[in-house]
């Protein structure tokens, strides 16, 4: 690997910016589970990434956004210039600031399943200016540094949201609010609540109304949405922990490990142990 320069800027282990430049294209192989919010901006390069076991190919000038808990695996990667932002919830909580930035559901926890944001030349110039301002601010040591870094990060994400809205049809917030509320509840409770009725009761709406709303958005059924989240977590636990199938079953709210095994096998067409072995 012919690395020309790797520079890392850090603010109190809360927010980190890494810049990487290679003398020539090289291939890196790694697989990690994210425990913080991450933004990758690959200005020059190409590759194939797996995000939560789904494969995506990219080429030149793309951004992608990862949420804590997501599994990120590199199949192939030839990168010349790239930047990586990493921040924790204590530094910037996307749920708390969603009204300001509108990034939750578009950039993070993406309900449109379009993982990459591709800026045009004009957008790239704006993002580059913000990035350079961030780097400059990282090198300051003043009382207002926290606020300035947070402000620049917010600007970067707002710009990325605008790019995504220009390139993709994003439904109005009023249309997606129930979907987001349901998604958030599932994220918080999928280990203990497996039935649509449980979530409908908490939202104060009938299960039938939730199903109709999902159909209107062209989404999967609420029941399948819950199952998919349970299966995703099961895959993560199988691959990235040493827990056995029985432990995983109990952690995901299944009183009977055998039932969990049937549930997993029917959906994935592989038993949990077979999935772990083959992956």
């Amino acid at each position: 690997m012919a690395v020309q320069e790797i520079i890392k800027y850090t603010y109190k282990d809360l927010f980190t910016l890494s810049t990487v430049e290679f003398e020539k294209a090289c291939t890196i192989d790694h697989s990690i589970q994210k425990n913080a919010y991450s933004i990758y901006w690959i200005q020059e390069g190409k590759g194939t990434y797996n995000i939560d076991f789904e494969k995506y190919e990219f080429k030149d000038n793309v951004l992608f956004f990862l949420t804590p808990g997501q599994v990120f695996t590199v199949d192939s990667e030839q990168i010349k210039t790239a930047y990586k932002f990493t921040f924790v919830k204590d530094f910037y909580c996307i749920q708390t600031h969603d009204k300001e930035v509108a990034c939750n559901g578009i950039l993070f926890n993406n309900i449109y399943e379009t993982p990459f944001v591709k800026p045009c030349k004009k957008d790239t110039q704006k993002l580059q200016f913000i990035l350079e301002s961030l780097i400059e601010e990282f090198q300051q040591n003043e009382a207002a540094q926290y606020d300035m870094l947070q402000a620049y990060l917010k600007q970067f994400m707002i710009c990325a949201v605008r790019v995504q809205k220009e390139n993709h049809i994003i439904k109005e917030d009023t249309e997606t609010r129930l979907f987001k509320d349901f998604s958030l509840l599932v994220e918080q409770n999928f280990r203990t609540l497996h039935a649509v009725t449980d979530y409908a009761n908490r939202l104060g709406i009938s299960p039938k109304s939730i199903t109709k709303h999902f159909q209107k958005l062209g989404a999967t059924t609420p029941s399948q949405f819950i199952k998919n989240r349970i299966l995703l977590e099961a895959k993560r636990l199988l691959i990235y922990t040493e827990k056995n199938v029985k432990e995983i079953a109990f952690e995901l709210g299944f009183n009977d490990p055998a039932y969990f095994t049937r549930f997993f096998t029917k959906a994935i067409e592989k038993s949990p142990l077979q999935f772990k072995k083959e992956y």
Side-chain angles (χ1 to χ4, degrees):
M1 183 191 303
V3 179
Q4 184 182 37
E5 188 174 24
I6 299 180
I7 304 173
K8 192 173 183 179
Y9 305 93
T10 302
Y11 177 79
K12 297 182 179 180
D13 294 325
L14 297 174
F15 182 30
T16 301
L17 170 61
S18 303
T19 70
V20 183
E21 294 181 3
F22 296 99
E23 292 174 353
K24 58 184 181 180
C26 66
T27 301
I28 303 171
D29 182 30
H30 57 277
S31 179
I32 52 177
Q33 185 171 28
K34 309 304 292 183
N35 58 8
Y37 294 100
S38 298
I39 304 171
Y40 288 80
W41 185 10
I42 298 163
Q43 290 189 336
E44 221 181 329
K46 63 179 180 178
T48 303
Y49 290 164
N50 284 289
I51 302 173
D52 280 336
F53 309 99
E54 294 290 332
K55 185 173 290 189
Y56 302 99
E57 294 183 355
F58 68 89
K59 183 178 180 181
D60 287 333
N61 202 21
V62 295
L63 297 102
F64 65 99
F65 302 77
L66 296 178
T67 307
Q70 286 194 284
V71 175
F72 170 53
T73 306
V74 176
D75 271 6
S76 65
E77 187 181 57
Q78 291 179 299
I79 305 298
K80 291 185 178 180
T81 308
Y83 299 91
K84 176 187 174 184
F85 304 75
T86 303
F87 59 96
V88 298
K89 189 180 293 185
D90 288 343
F91 181 77
Y92 191 91
C93 179
I94 63 167
Q95 283 86 7
T96 302
H97 297 280
D98 192 38
K99 287 185 179 179
E100 303 167 17
V101 182
C103 64
N104 191 26
I106 295 178
L107 303 181
F108 299 99
N109 300 312
N110 192 326
I111 64 174
Y112 300 99
E113 299 180 359
T114 307
F116 298 131
V117 175
K118 292 188 69 67
C120 66
K121 186 176 180 180
K122 185 179 178 182
D123 294 322
T124 299
Q125 290 172 346
K126 291 179 183 177
L127 290 167
Q128 186 66 35
F129 176 78
I130 299 169
L131 181 97
E132 290 170 2
S133 299
L134 262 171
I135 291 173
E136 186 177 322
E137 188 59 38
F138 267 111
Q139 298 173 76
Q140 303 295 323
N141 189 20
E142 298 180 3
Q145 187 182 25
Y146 175 92
D147 295 322
M148 289 293 286
L149 288 172
Q150 193 183 73
Y152 284 131
L153 175 63
K154 186 186 295 186
Q155 286 179 40
F156 193 93
M157 290 191 291
I158 289 172
C159 189
V161 168
R162 288 176 178 174
V163 172
Q164 191 73 330
K165 285 184 174 180
E166 287 174 5
N167 296 331
H168 299 276
I169 298 173
I170 306 296
K171 294 183 181 295
E172 293 299 321
D173 188 62
T174 51
E175 294 182 86
T176 60
R177 178 52 56 191
L178 178 59
F179 188 101
K180 285 185 177 182
D181 290 344
F182 182 87
S183 302
L184 182 60
L185 271 180
V186 171
E187 189 63 31
Q188 294 170 340
N189 299 282
F190 69 88
R191 291 176 178 83
T192 55
L193 303 180
H194 295 176
V196 177
T197 304
D198 295 325
Y199 295 97
N201 290 338
R202 295 197 175 198
L203 291 168
I205 190 172
S206 70
K208 187 177 290 185
S209 295
I210 296 177
T211 300
K212 286 182 178 178
H213 191 82
F214 271 51
Q215 290 173 342
K216 186 178 178 182
L217 291 175
T220 184
T221 65
S223 176
Q224 191 60 49
F225 186 94
I226 298 166
K227 288 180 182 177
N228 289 345
R229 185 62 188 90
I230 296 168
L231 288 166
L232 174 58
E233 196 66 21
K235 290 178 182 178
R236 291 174 175 174
L237 292 169
L238 284 165
I239 301 301
Y240 288 93
T241 73
E242 297 302 317
K243 294 178 180 180
N244 60 40
V245 174
K246 184 178 181 180
E247 290 172 321
I248 291 171
F250 288 145
E251 182 170 334
L252 295 178
F254 291 84
N255 295 323
D256 181 2
Y259 177 73
F260 166 73
T261 298
R262 292 195 298 272
F263 168 83
F264 188 95
T265 305
K266 182 179 179 181
I268 308 301
E269 297 183 348
K270 295 175 186 176
S271 71
L273 290 178
Q274 187 182 5
F275 173 82
K276 184 180 179 72
K277 183 180 178 180
E278 290 185 8
Y279 194 84

